[in-house]
Amino acid sequence: MSIIRQESLFDMQILYDLEPTHRFNSILADIDIHPILDVVMKKSHLGAPQTLNYPAMIYSLIIRITEHIPFIKDLITRLRTDLRFKVDCGFLVSDEIPSEASYSRMITLISESNALDIVQERLLLLAINEGYVSNEIVAIDATHVEARDCAPSKKEQLVKEPKKRGRKKKEEREQWLLEKAEEEADLPLYEKTIAAQLDVSLSELRSSVPIQPQWGVKKNSEGKNVFWYGFKCHLAVGAKSQYIVQSLFSSGSLNDGKAAIPLLKGIQERFSSLNIAYATMDAGYDYVPIYEQVYRMGAQSIIAYNKKNEPEPIGFDKHFAPTCAREYSYRYDSYDAKHETLKYTRPHECNDCPLAHDSLCQKVYKMKITKDLRRYTAPARGSKKWNQLYKARSAVERVNAYLKGYFLLNQIYHCTGKKAKVHFDLVHIAYNASRLAMDRLRYTNLQESTAS
């Protein structure tokens, strides 16, 4: 089956031109809700009979997102006043409309399980098997979402005793280092350094993510700090296919870089058939452990360099390419995957240089990327291919904007982090299901036009 590549992320008009019944059927057709039903339905025939239509309730929550219905009470009103919409969601004409409390209890049960993660995984595997998901480039980024709760009042900070000035004695320093190491060992996983995540299992990484609303801060385009109270949504997106490959929901205070390794490990362990070649991220992810995780996956890191009070490298330019005696930069030539070596050739300026035949001027430089994974990537920093790959990162920014503008990501009205995560997971499912439905429609239309 050939792959149909869409020209634009926003070209979903082909899906929304359909009649509502056909559109809903196309979106819901391949969402396997059985893991969710196993959580919310009765396990025994004993007791009071089950009167709620749980499959229809689950479908209605997904359709609510695609139809931009912000509140559960608005969804219930639509179900009561629009018989066709009620039937399209899977309810029988004779079914009573669930109350807000019924929806709330169901969402609570879902929030206590990992059922939505299983649904997300099965949906993406279906898209992969049908050839719609590219395995070349994955782009990672985060976006913030404000909570609708009021931020808690600030707690008064206790005045700390002033530290004793001067260097500690040898015995005091050893005791202080021991106490500090014990304190760091007792910290929660996401309060430790990013390097601590490298050898932690994926299940522990995902179960330890803080999800309660917290204060977050980021710099805007003018370089000023912007504060918000709420959450962060971290996405790993296929740069060409624009499917959400992995997602993570966290408190607003979580550093963006601390979500990268869980996302990358999720791709590696859950979708082993996706042999990612490149992982592209902005300067907020410029940490050595992230490069190490990408390297362990057999991929290359395309991450913007974030200079952190580092001196200018001697004998190298700003992209860490070697320079000649007259400080002209060597040109990136090629990458030897077998030996993991970058090859640089003599600059053009050396053709007329009197030192061209001197021992100071080498014709070729070779550099192993394992010498410093952060500085040396394949293709080399500053090269035309590196810049092209880095531009692919804009795909995840477009998906973030699309989820906020068209899939209610920016309208989380739940009071707890667990229920807010359910909303985010449903947005993830609704978006990927819509993408799959659209790709199938485009393929069908292409087949019909070819046949005619």
Side-chain angles (χ1 to χ4, degrees), residues 143-290:
T143 187
H144 73 280
V145 178
E146 292 186 8
R148 301 306 175 191
D149 299 349
C150 293
S153 57
K154 292 184 178 180
K155 297 180 180 179
E156 294 185 3
Q157 295 183 352
L158 298 175
V159 179
K160 296 182 179 179
E161 295 182 5
K163 295 182 180 179
K164 184 179 179 181
R165 299 180 64 183
R167 181 179 295 180
K168 292 181 174 62
K169 295 181 181 179
K170 184 177 181 181
E171 297 79 8
E172 291 180 358
R173 178 170 175 79
E174 290 177 354
Q175 180 63 27
W176 175 76
L177 289 174
L178 183 62
E179 291 175 356
K180 187 177 179 181
E182 290 177 352
E183 288 177 3
E184 291 179 353
D186 293 336
L187 288 173
L189 178 59
Y190 282 88
E191 292 183 20
K192 297 180 181 179
T193 61
I194 298 178
Q197 298 179 356
L198 282 171
D199 298 318
V200 176
S201 66
L202 176 62
S203 59
E204 184 177 350
L205 284 171
R206 295 193 71 91
S207 62
S208 303
V209 180
I211 58 174
Q212 291 304 319
Q214 296 289 343
W215 280 103
V217 59
K218 69 171 184 177
K219 289 189 180 296
N220 60 16
S221 58
E222 299 176 354
K224 296 181 180 179
N225 287 336
V226 177
F227 298 89
W228 80 94
Y229 180 74
F231 312 98
K232 273 187 180 179
C233 304
H234 309 267
L235 299 181
V237 173
K240 290 186 178 180
S241 63
Q242 296 174 354
Y243 281 83
I244 299 174
V245 183
Q246 279 286 283
S247 64
L248 195 71
F249 185 78
S250 74
S251 300
S253 59
L254 187 71
N255 180 284
D256 288 0
K258 291 186 177 181
I261 291 179
L263 292 172
L264 292 167
K265 283 192 174 185
I267 298 171
Q268 183 182 23
E269 295 185 21
R270 293 184 174 179
F271 307 103
S272 56
S273 60
L274 278 180
N275 298 317
I276 301 299
Y278 303 100
T280 176
M281 307 166 223
D282 62 25
Y285 297 87
D286 183 32
Y287 296 94
V288 174
I290 297 177

Side-chain angles (χ1 to χ4, degrees), residues 183-440:
E183 288 177 3
E184 291 179 353
D186 293 336
L187 288 173
L189 178 59
Y190 282 88
E191 292 183 20
K192 297 180 181 179
T193 61
I194 298 178
Q197 298 179 356
L198 282 171
D199 298 318
V200 176
S201 66
L202 176 62
S203 59
E204 184 177 350
L205 284 171
R206 295 193 71 91
S207 62
S208 303
V209 180
I211 58 174
Q212 291 304 319
Q214 296 289 343
W215 280 103
V217 59
K218 69 171 184 177
K219 289 189 180 296
N220 60 16
S221 58
E222 299 176 354
K224 296 181 180 179
N225 287 336
V226 177
F227 298 89
W228 80 94
Y229 180 74
F231 312 98
K232 273 187 180 179
C233 304
H234 309 267
L235 299 181
V237 173
K240 290 186 178 180
S241 63
Q242 296 174 354
Y243 281 83
I244 299 174
V245 183
Q246 279 286 283
S247 64
L248 195 71
F249 185 78
S250 74
S251 300
S253 59
L254 187 71
N255 180 284
D256 288 0
K258 291 186 177 181
I261 291 179
L263 292 172
L264 292 167
K265 283 192 174 185
I267 298 171
Q268 183 182 23
E269 295 185 21
R270 293 184 174 179
F271 307 103
S272 56
S273 60
L274 278 180
N275 298 317
I276 301 299
Y278 303 100
T280 176
M281 307 166 223
D282 62 25
Y285 297 87
D286 183 32
Y287 296 94
V288 174
I290 297 177
Y291 291 90
E292 176 65 27
Q293 177 60 37
V294 175
Y295 177 74
R296 290 182 183 183
M297 295 172 63
Q300 297 294 335
S301 303
I302 308 296
I303 305 175
Y305 195 82
N306 186 10
K307 192 175 178 181
K308 303 170 184 176
N309 298 324
E310 302 170 16
E312 293 293 334
I314 300 174
F316 299 89
D317 66 9
K318 63 179 181 179
H319 299 301
F320 309 106
T323 56
C324 67
R326 297 178 64 185
E327 297 189 353
Y328 290 113
S329 299
Y330 276 67
R331 294 173 295 138
Y332 169 68
D333 180 82
S334 59
Y335 173 65
D336 184 352
K338 181 179 179 181
H339 299 96
E340 299 181 330
T341 303
L342 300 173
K343 179 182 177 182
Y344 294 90
T345 57
R346 181 180 285 177
H348 289 299
E349 291 81 1
C350 290
N351 294 335
D352 302 324
C353 179
L355 299 176
H357 303 290
D358 192 274
S359 60
L360 292 175
C361 187
Q362 291 183 219
K363 290 185 178 181
V364 174
Y365 262 101
K366 291 187 177 181
M367 185 71 67
K368 288 187 73 68
I369 63 171
T370 50
K371 179 180 179 181
D372 191 334
L373 291 172
R374 182 169 171 242
R375 293 187 172 187
Y376 300 107
T377 63
R381 291 183 180 276
S383 65
K384 184 177 180 180
K385 180 66 182 296
W386 191 95
N387 291 329
Q388 288 176 347
L389 291 169
Y390 185 70
K391 288 179 181 178
R393 190 188 62 83
S394 61
V396 68
E397 295 178 342
R398 291 195 298 273
V399 172
N400 278 329
Y402 202 55
L403 294 182
K404 285 187 173 183
Y406 297 91
F407 285 86
L408 298 183
L409 179 59
N410 211 23
Q411 300 184 42
I412 297 179
Y413 299 108
H414 297 290
C415 296
T416 64
K418 285 186 176 181
K419 286 190 175 182
K421 182 180 180 300
V422 170
H423 178 87
F424 171 68
D425 288 338
L426 289 171
V427 168
H428 178 161
I429 292 169
Y431 172 80
N432 273 359
S434 298
R435 274 231 80 72
L436 180 57
M438 190 196 69
D439 283 341
R440 285 175 169 175

Side-chain angles (χ1 to χ4, degrees), residues 3-191:
I3 300 175
I4 299 88
R5 298 299 180 199
Q6 51 276 11
E7 296 179 359
S8 170
L9 175 64
F10 301 97
D11 188 18
M12 282 194 178
Q13 195 60 40
I14 187 175
L15 184 62
Y16 286 95
D17 284 342
L18 296 175
E19 288 293 322
T21 301
H22 293 158
R23 181 169 69 250
F24 297 158
N25 289 339
S26 298
I27 294 172
L28 301 175
D30 293 296
I31 300 178
D32 183 4
I33 64 171
H34 288 94
I36 308 174
L37 293 177
D38 290 341
V39 173
V40 301
M41 294 188 72
K42 288 180 59 177
K43 305 298 187 294
S44 172
H45 65 281
L46 302 177
Q50 185 170 283
T51 58
L52 295 176
N53 188 340
Y54 282 112
M57 291 175 68
I58 296 167
Y59 285 137
S60 66
L61 288 177
I62 298 171
I63 292 176
R64 163 184 165 247
I65 291 169
T66 62
E67 291 297 291
H68 320 134
I69 302 174
F71 297 100
I72 296 293
K73 65 178 181 180
D74 295 330
L75 172 64
I76 294 172
T77 301
R78 177 81 178 271
L79 290 170
R80 284 175 178 165
T81 57
D82 189 341
L83 179 60
R84 182 177 178 181
F85 179 77
K86 176 182 177 181
V87 174
D88 287 341
C89 289
F91 290 98
L92 299 176
V93 176
S94 58
D95 285 340
E96 62 174 297
I97 304 301
S99 63
E100 285 188 66
S102 298
Y103 273 105
S104 179
R105 285 192 293 269
M106 185 179 74
I107 291 172
T108 300
L109 290 173
I110 296 173
S111 69
E112 300 292 339
S113 71
N114 65 341
L116 293 177
D117 292 336
I118 299 172
V119 175
Q120 292 170 4
E121 183 177 346
R122 292 179 180 178
L123 183 61
L124 186 64
L125 283 173
L126 190 61
I128 292 171
N129 293 334
E130 294 188 16
Y132 293 115
V133 182
S134 170
N135 62 352
E136 184 178 357
I137 308 171
V138 63
I140 294 176
D141 201 3
T143 187
H144 73 280
V145 178
E146 292 186 8
R148 301 306 175 191
D149 299 349
C150 293
S153 57
K154 292 184 178 180
K155 297 180 180 179
E156 294 185 3
Q157 295 183 352
L158 298 175
V159 179
K160 296 182 179 179
E161 295 182 5
K163 295 182 180 179
K164 184 179 179 181
R165 299 180 64 183
R167 181 179 295 180
K168 292 181 174 62
K169 295 181 181 179
K170 184 177 181 181
E171 297 79 8
E172 291 180 358
R173 178 170 175 79
E174 290 177 354
Q175 180 63 27
W176 175 76
L177 289 174
L178 183 62
E179 291 175 356
K180 187 177 179 181
E182 290 177 352
E183 288 177 3
E184 291 179 353
D186 293 336
L187 288 173
L189 178 59
Y190 282 88
E191 292 183 20

